[in-house]
Coordinates of all heavy atoms in Angstrom, one line a residue:
M1 N -1.1 22.9 22.9 CA -1.0 22.2 21.6 C -1.4 20.8 21.8 O -1.1 20.1 22.7 CB 0.4 22.3 21.2 CG 0.7 21.7 19.8 SD 2.3 22.3 19.2 CE 2.4 21.2 17.9
C2 N -2.2 20.3 20.8 CA -2.7 18.9 20.8 C -1.6 18.0 20.2 O -0.9 18.2 19.3 CB -3.9 18.9 19.9 SG -4.7 17.3 19.8
N3 N -1.5 16.8 20.9 CA -0.6 15.8 20.5 C -1.2 15.1 19.2 O -2.3 14.5 19.3 CB -0.4 14.8 21.6 CG 0.6 13.7 21.3 OD1 1.0 13.6 20.1 ND2 1.1 13.0 22.3
P4 N -0.5 15.0 18.1 CA -1.1 14.4 16.9 C -1.1 12.9 16.9 O -1.7 12.3 16.1 CB -0.1 15.0 15.8 CG 1.2 15.2 16.5 CD 0.8 15.6 17.9
N5 N -0.4 12.3 17.9 CA -0.3 10.8 17.9 C -1.6 10.3 18.5 O -2.1 10.8 19.5 CB 0.9 10.4 18.7 CG 2.2 10.8 18.1 OD1 2.3 10.8 16.8 ND2 3.2 11.1 18.8
T6 N -2.1 9.2 18.0 CA -3.3 8.6 18.5 C -2.9 7.2 19.0 O -2.2 6.5 18.4 CB -4.3 8.4 17.4 OG1 -4.7 9.7 16.9 CG2 -5.6 7.8 17.9
L7 N -3.4 6.9 20.2 CA -3.1 5.6 20.8 C -4.3 4.7 20.7 O -5.4 5.1 20.9 CB -2.7 5.8 22.3 CG -1.4 6.6 22.6 CD1 -1.2 6.6 24.1 CD2 -0.2 5.9 21.9
I8 N -4.1 3.5 20.3 CA -5.1 2.5 20.3 C -4.6 1.3 21.1 O -3.6 0.7 20.8 CB -5.4 2.0 18.8 CG1 -5.9 3.2 18.0 CG2 -6.4 0.9 18.8 CD1 -6.1 3.0 16.6
G9 N -5.3 1.0 22.1 CA -4.9 -0.1 23.0 C -3.5 0.1 23.6 O -2.7 -0.8 23.8
G10 N -3.2 1.4 23.8 CA -1.9 1.7 24.4 C -0.7 1.8 23.4 O 0.4 2.0 23.8
R11 N -1.0 1.5 22.1 CA 0.1 1.6 21.1 C -0.2 2.7 20.1 O -1.4 3.0 19.9 CB 0.1 0.2 20.3 CG 0.6 -0.9 21.2 CD 0.7 -2.2 20.4 NE 1.7 -2.1 19.3 CZ 2.0 -3.0 18.6 NH1 1.5 -4.2 18.7 NH2 3.0 -2.9 17.6
E12 N 0.8 3.3 19.6 CA 0.6 4.4 18.7 C 0.0 3.8 17.4 O 0.4 2.8 16.9 CB 2.0 5.0 18.3 CG 1.9 6.2 17.5 CD 3.2 6.9 17.2 OE1 4.1 6.7 18.1 OE2 3.3 7.5 16.2
A13 N -1.1 4.5 16.9 CA -1.7 4.1 15.7 C -0.7 4.1 14.6 O 0.0 5.0 14.4 CB -2.9 5.0 15.4
G14 N -0.7 3.1 13.8 CA 0.2 3.0 12.6 C 1.4 2.2 13.0 O 2.2 1.9 12.1
S15 N 1.7 1.9 14.3 CA 2.8 1.0 14.6 C 2.3 -0.4 14.7 O 1.4 -0.7 15.4 CB 3.5 1.5 15.9 OG 2.8 1.0 17.0
F16 N 2.9 -1.3 13.9 CA 2.4 -2.6 13.8 C 3.3 -3.6 14.4 O 4.5 -3.4 14.5 CB 2.1 -3.0 12.3 CG 1.2 -2.0 11.6 CD1 1.6 -1.2 10.7 CD2 -0.2 -2.0 12.0 CE1 0.7 -0.3 10.1 CE2 -1.1 -1.2 11.4 CZ -0.6 -0.3 10.4
G17 N 2.8 -4.7 14.8 CA 3.6 -5.8 15.3 C 4.3 -6.6 14.2 O 4.1 -6.3 13.0
P18 N 5.0 -7.6 14.6 CA 5.8 -8.4 13.6 C 4.9 -9.2 12.6 O 5.3 -9.3 11.5 CB 6.6 -9.3 14.5 CG 6.0 -9.4 15.8 CD 5.3 -8.1 16.0
V19 N 3.8 -9.6 13.0 CA 2.9 -10.4 12.1 C 2.4 -9.5 11.0 O 2.4 -9.8 9.8 CB 1.7 -11.1 12.9 CG1 0.8 -11.7 11.9 CG2 2.3 -12.1 13.8
T20 N 1.9 -8.3 11.4 CA 1.3 -7.3 10.4 C 2.5 -6.9 9.5 O 2.3 -6.8 8.3 CB 0.7 -6.2 11.1 OG1 -0.4 -6.7 12.0 CG2 0.1 -5.2 10.1
A21 N 3.6 -6.6 10.1 CA 4.8 -6.2 9.2 C 5.1 -7.2 8.2 O 5.4 -6.9 7.0 CB 5.9 -5.8 10.1
S22 N 5.1 -8.5 8.6 CA 5.4 -9.6 7.7 C 4.3 -9.7 6.6 O 4.7 -9.9 5.4 CB 5.5 -10.9 8.5 OG 5.7 -12.0 7.7
L23 N 3.1 -9.6 7.0 CA 2.0 -9.6 6.0 C 2.1 -8.5 5.0 O 1.9 -8.7 3.8 CB 0.6 -9.6 6.6 CG 0.2 -10.8 7.4 CD1 -1.0 -10.6 8.2 CD2 0.0 -12.0 6.4
Q24 N 2.4 -7.3 5.5 CA 2.6 -6.1 4.6 C 3.7 -6.4 3.6 O 3.6 -6.1 2.4 CB 2.8 -4.8 5.4 CG 1.5 -4.3 6.0 CD 1.8 -3.1 6.8 OE1 2.8 -2.8 7.3 NE2 0.8 -2.2 6.8
A25 N 4.9 -6.9 4.1 CA 6.0 -7.1 3.3 C 5.7 -8.1 2.2 O 6.1 -8.0 1.0 CB 7.2 -7.6 4.1
A26 N 5.0 -9.2 2.6 CA 4.6 -10.2 1.6 C 3.7 -9.7 0.5 O 3.8 -10.0 -0.7 CB 4.0 -11.4 2.3
Y27 N 2.7 -8.8 1.0 CA 1.8 -8.2 0.0 C 2.5 -7.4 -1.0 O 2.3 -7.5 -2.2 CB 0.8 -7.4 0.8 CG -0.1 -6.5 -0.1 CD1 -1.2 -7.1 -0.7 CD2 0.2 -5.2 -0.3 CE1 -2.0 -6.3 -1.5 CE2 -0.6 -4.4 -1.2 CZ -1.7 -5.0 -1.8 OH -2.5 -4.2 -2.6
W28 N 3.4 -6.5 -0.6 CA 4.1 -5.6 -1.5 C 5.1 -6.4 -2.4 O 5.3 -6.0 -3.5 CB 4.7 -4.5 -0.8 CG 3.7 -3.5 -0.3 CD1 3.3 -3.3 1.0 CD2 2.9 -2.7 -1.1 NE1 2.3 -2.3 1.0 CE2 2.0 -2.0 -0.3 CE3 2.8 -2.5 -2.5 CZ2 1.1 -1.1 -0.7 CZ3 1.8 -1.6 -3.0 CH2 1.0 -0.9 -2.1
K29 N 5.6 -7.5 -1.9 CA 6.5 -8.3 -2.6 C 5.8 -8.9 -3.9 O 6.4 -9.1 -4.9 CB 7.1 -9.4 -1.8 CG 8.1 -10.3 -2.4 CD 9.5 -9.6 -2.5 CE 10.5 -10.5 -3.1 NZ 11.6 -9.8 -3.6
L30 N 4.5 -9.2 -3.7 CA 3.7 -9.8 -4.8 C 3.6 -8.8 -6.0 O 3.5 -9.2 -7.1 CB 2.3 -10.2 -4.4 CG 2.2 -11.4 -3.5 CD1 0.8 -11.6 -3.0 CD2 2.7 -12.6 -4.2
H31 N 3.8 -7.5 -5.7 CA 3.7 -6.5 -6.7 C 4.9 -6.5 -7.6 O 4.9 -5.9 -8.7 CB 3.6 -5.1 -6.1 CG 2.2 -4.8 -5.6 ND1 1.7 -5.3 -4.4 CD2 1.2 -4.0 -6.1 CE1 0.5 -4.9 -4.2 NE2 0.2 -4.1 -5.2
E32 N 6.0 -7.2 -7.2 CA 7.2 -7.4 -8.0 C 7.1 -8.7 -8.9 O 7.9 -8.9 -9.7 CB 8.4 -7.4 -7.1 CG 8.6 -6.2 -6.3 CD 9.7 -6.3 -5.3 OE1 10.4 -7.4 -5.3 OE2 9.8 -5.4 -4.4
D33 N 6.1 -9.5 -8.7 CA 5.9 -10.8 -9.4 C 5.0 -10.5 -10.6 O 3.8 -10.2 -10.4 CB 5.3 -11.8 -8.5 CG 5.3 -13.2 -9.0 OD1 5.2 -13.4 -10.3 OD2 5.5 -14.2 -8.2
A34 N 5.5 -10.8 -11.8 CA 4.8 -10.5 -13.0 C 3.5 -11.3 -13.1 O 2.5 -10.9 -13.8 CB 5.6 -10.9 -14.2
R35 N 3.4 -12.4 -12.4 CA 2.1 -13.2 -12.4 C 1.0 -12.5 -11.7 O -0.2 -12.8 -12.0 CB 2.3 -14.6 -11.7 CG 3.3 -15.5 -12.3 CD 3.5 -16.7 -11.5 NE 4.2 -16.3 -10.2 CZ 4.3 -17.1 -9.2 NH1 3.9 -18.4 -9.3 NH2 4.9 -16.7 -8.1
Y36 N 1.3 -11.5 -10.9 CA 0.2 -10.8 -10.2 C 0.1 -9.3 -10.5 O -0.4 -8.5 -9.8 CB 0.5 -11.0 -8.7 CG 0.5 -12.4 -8.2 CD1 1.7 -13.0 -7.8 CD2 -0.6 -13.2 -8.2 CE1 1.8 -14.3 -7.5 CE2 -0.6 -14.5 -7.9 CZ 0.6 -15.1 -7.5 OH 0.7 -16.4 -7.1
V37 N 0.7 -8.9 -11.6 CA 0.8 -7.5 -12.0 C 0.0 -7.4 -13.3 O 0.3 -8.1 -14.3 CB 2.2 -7.0 -12.1 CG1 2.2 -5.6 -12.6 CG2 2.9 -7.1 -10.8
E38 N -0.8 -6.4 -13.4 CA -1.6 -6.1 -14.6 C -1.2 -4.7 -15.0 O -1.6 -3.7 -14.4 CB -3.1 -6.2 -14.4 CG -3.9 -5.9 -15.6 CD -3.8 -7.0 -16.7 OE1 -3.6 -8.2 -16.3 OE2 -4.0 -6.7 -17.9
P39 N -0.4 -4.5 -16.1 CA 0.0 -3.1 -16.4 C -1.2 -2.3 -16.9 O -2.1 -2.9 -17.6 CB 1.0 -3.3 -17.6 CG 1.1 -4.8 -17.8 CD 0.2 -5.5 -16.9
V40 N -1.2 -1.1 -16.6 CA -2.3 -0.2 -17.0 C -1.6 0.9 -17.9 O -0.7 1.5 -17.6 CB -2.9 0.5 -15.8 CG1 -4.0 1.5 -16.2 CG2 -3.5 -0.5 -14.8
R41 N -2.2 0.9 -19.1 CA -1.7 1.9 -20.1 C -2.7 3.0 -20.2 O -3.9 2.8 -20.5 CB -1.5 1.2 -21.5 CG -0.3 0.2 -21.5 CD -0.2 -0.5 -22.8 NE 0.9 -1.4 -22.8 CZ 1.0 -2.5 -22.2 NH1 0.1 -2.9 -21.4 NH2 2.1 -3.3 -22.3
Y42 N -2.2 4.2 -20.0 CA -3.1 5.4 -20.0 C -2.9 6.1 -21.4 O -1.8 6.2 -21.8 CB -2.7 6.4 -18.9 CG -3.0 5.8 -17.5 CD1 -1.9 5.2 -16.8 CD2 -4.2 5.9 -17.0 CE1 -2.2 4.6 -15.6 CE2 -4.5 5.4 -15.7 CZ -3.4 4.8 -15.0 OH -3.7 4.2 -13.8
Q43 N -4.0 6.5 -22.0 CA -3.9 7.2 -23.2 C -4.1 8.7 -22.8 O -4.9 9.1 -22.0 CB -5.1 6.9 -24.1 CG -4.8 5.7 -25.0 CD -6.0 5.5 -25.9 OE1 -7.1 5.1 -25.5 NE2 -5.7 5.7 -27.2
A44 N -3.3 9.5 -23.5 CA -3.4 11.0 -23.3 C -4.8 11.4 -23.9 O -5.2 11.1 -25.0 CB -2.3 11.7 -24.0
S45 N -5.5 12.2 -23.1 CA -6.8 12.7 -23.6 C -6.6 13.9 -24.4 O -5.9 14.8 -24.0 CB -7.7 12.9 -22.3 OG -8.9 13.5 -22.8
T46 N -7.3 14.0 -25.5 CA -7.2 15.2 -26.4 C -8.5 16.0 -26.2 O -8.5 17.1 -26.7 CB -7.0 14.8 -27.8 OG1 -8.1 14.0 -28.2 CG2 -5.7 14.1 -28.1
S47 N -9.5 15.5 -25.5 CA -10.7 16.3 -25.4 C -10.6 17.2 -24.1 O -10.0 16.8 -23.1 CB -11.9 15.4 -25.3 OG -11.8 14.6 -24.1
A48 N -11.3 18.3 -24.2 CA -11.3 19.2 -23.0 C -12.3 18.7 -22.0 O -13.3 18.2 -22.4 CB -11.7 20.6 -23.5
R49 N -12.0 19.0 -20.8 CA -13.0 18.5 -19.7 C -13.9 19.6 -19.4 O -13.8 20.7 -19.3 CB -12.2 18.1 -18.5 CG -11.5 16.9 -18.7 CD -10.8 16.4 -17.4 NE -10.4 15.0 -17.6 CZ -9.8 14.3 -16.7 NH1 -9.6 14.8 -15.5 NH2 -9.5 13.1 -16.9

């Protein structure tokens, strides 16, 4: 059976260090700030595809 985990530079792919984790947290926190959010309103389509 093949191991599904991939190592890059000796670390499991997708496991990030503290700097990357901090950047990701800051990025997603901006999504909670109304200054940086643009609501998207979807209309229901009545035409057949």
Side-chain angles (χ1 to χ4, degrees):
M1 183 166 168
C2 181
N3 185 346
N5 297 326
T6 301
L7 297 179
I8 299 173
R11 294 180 64 174
E12 187 176 334
S15 79
F16 303 109
V19 173
T20 302
S22 177
L23 288 170
Q24 286 181 328
Y27 171 80
W28 288 110
K29 185 75 174 162
L30 289 174
H31 284 75
E32 299 171 7
D33 189 327
R35 295 175 297 171
Y36 303 109
V37 176
E38 180 73 28
V40 177
R41 290 176 176 73
Y42 295 95
Q43 276 185 290
S45 176
T46 57
S47 64
R49 289 186 167 181

